[in-house]
Each structure stands twice: as structure tokens, then as C-alpha cells.
Amino acid sequence: MSEENLCRCPWLDTTKPDYVAYHDNEWGVPVFDDQQLFECLMLESAQAGLSWYTILKRRDSYRAAFANFDVNLLALFTDAKVEELVVNRAIIRHRGKINAVINNAKIFIDIQKEFGSFSRYMWGFVDHKTIVNNWATLNDYPATSKESNAWSKDLKKRGFKFIGSTICYAHMQACGMVNDHSNDCYKRSQIIVKFQQG
């Protein structure tokens, strides 16, 4: 079967090549690298009220604006840097979301110190094993789960801003904590086999 004829998840707009590439190469693949995890979580947070594709198109601009999501550099961002970012047309110019990235970087560092890595902390909410779901149609997909509820509650308790269960669940989907590729999507079984899921 040719690549363009492969069956993919029902949420994907297959007319957008960059979106297809994201689905095929990144979405649902387990991530354990702390810097990648922070980037993903902060981009999901930036998405709040918007479409993921809106953020995906700006991902390189976000990396440039936010020190490639290096938490140690972000933790040093000043009020002057925030003012610079608020007028940066290459990103979503939302002061609350911008301030949240800096705030969350500091708490992220605290979590790393407590658990040895953010990855170890995060994956603990799914017992360090991907949850493999069975979705047939777009209507089957949930916005949250009991795991995302528990995780977002803990993040908020620790002081994270612009974080909720829906954002956490989207992150869990993107970073492979759950395998939410639809039952007929070709990537579902590929990821299951590669990472010995289920």
C-alpha cells in the first residue's frame, strides 16, 4: 500500500503534509527525554483554546523564542524577556501562557531533583507502561482520563500554571503514555510492536 493510501487516525487532516508527518513520526511514540517532554507539555499548554495545528506550524518559532525549551535557561528569563515575547508575532502572544512557561520551568527543575527525572515522575501516572486504547471512530476519543485528572491535579498542587486535565491528556497522547491511534490506523500496531505495548 502506498503511503498516501495508508489508513490514519480520523482526527488527522491528511491534506496538510506537515500534519501527516507529525502523526506518522511523532504522535503516540513514547518519549522519555526531559527536554522533549517539557517542550511538548508547554506546546500543549499554548494550544489551550486553539487547534494543535496552529501551534505545530509555530513550533520552530516557539523553540527559538523559548531557548529550545531548556528549563535551566527559561528559569532565568526576566520581566524584560517576557515583554519581548509578548510582542513576538511568531508565537501566540498571550502573557499568561508566556509567564506560565517560565514558572513551569522552575517547578519542572524541582520535580527533576525530587524524582531524578521528570520522565520518571510523569510515567509514574501510568505505572511506567503505555495504556493501549481501542478507538474506532472520532467520537470514541475522550478529552480526559482518570490518569490525566490525577496528573493535572498533582501538577497544579506543585504550582504549574496553564495546566488542566485536557492539556495533560493531549500530552499523554502525543508522548505515548497512551496509544490512542485508532484501531484501523497503520501506526497503532507499529508502535505496539516496536515498544512491546499491550
Side-chain angles (χ1 to χ4, degrees), residues 48-169:
L50 305 166
S51 74
W52 171 244
Y53 188 66
T54 298
I55 302 301
L56 182 64
K57 288 188 298 181
R58 293 169 170 80
R59 183 161 61 171
D60 287 342
S61 297
Y62 268 93
R63 287 169 175 165
F66 289 99
N68 206 32
F69 292 98
D70 182 321
V71 289
N72 295 300
L73 294 177
L74 285 168
L76 301 175
F77 273 25
T78 61
D79 290 344
K81 184 65 174 178
V82 171
E83 294 308 316
E84 179 186 314
L85 292 171
V86 168
V87 296
N88 185 341
R89 293 181 177 275
I91 63 171
I92 304 302
R93 295 175 292 163
H94 186 295
R95 187 181 295 274
K97 291 179 179 181
I98 290 167
N99 277 319
V101 174
I102 301 164
N103 170 79
N104 295 346
K106 296 171 184 175
I107 298 164
F108 191 94
I109 292 168
D110 291 340
I111 292 172
Q112 286 178 316
K113 289 175 181 174
E114 181 179 345
F115 290 87
S117 72
F118 186 84
S119 175
R120 185 174 295 122
Y121 157 76
M122 181 192 86
W123 278 91
F125 286 89
V126 291
D127 295 324
H128 304 280
K129 183 181 178 185
T130 298
I131 296 168
V132 179
N133 289 318
N134 294 285
W135 312 133
T137 71
L138 192 56
N139 290 333
D140 293 336
Y141 283 83
T144 62
S145 68
K146 70 179 191 297
E147 293 83 8
S148 68
N149 290 342
W151 186 31
S152 65
K153 184 178 179 181
D154 191 71
L155 285 171
K156 286 177 183 176
K157 187 173 73 175
R158 291 172 181 276
F160 260 70
K161 305 294 184 187
F162 259 92
I163 207 81
S165 189
T166 301
I167 287 168
C168 284
Y169 192 74

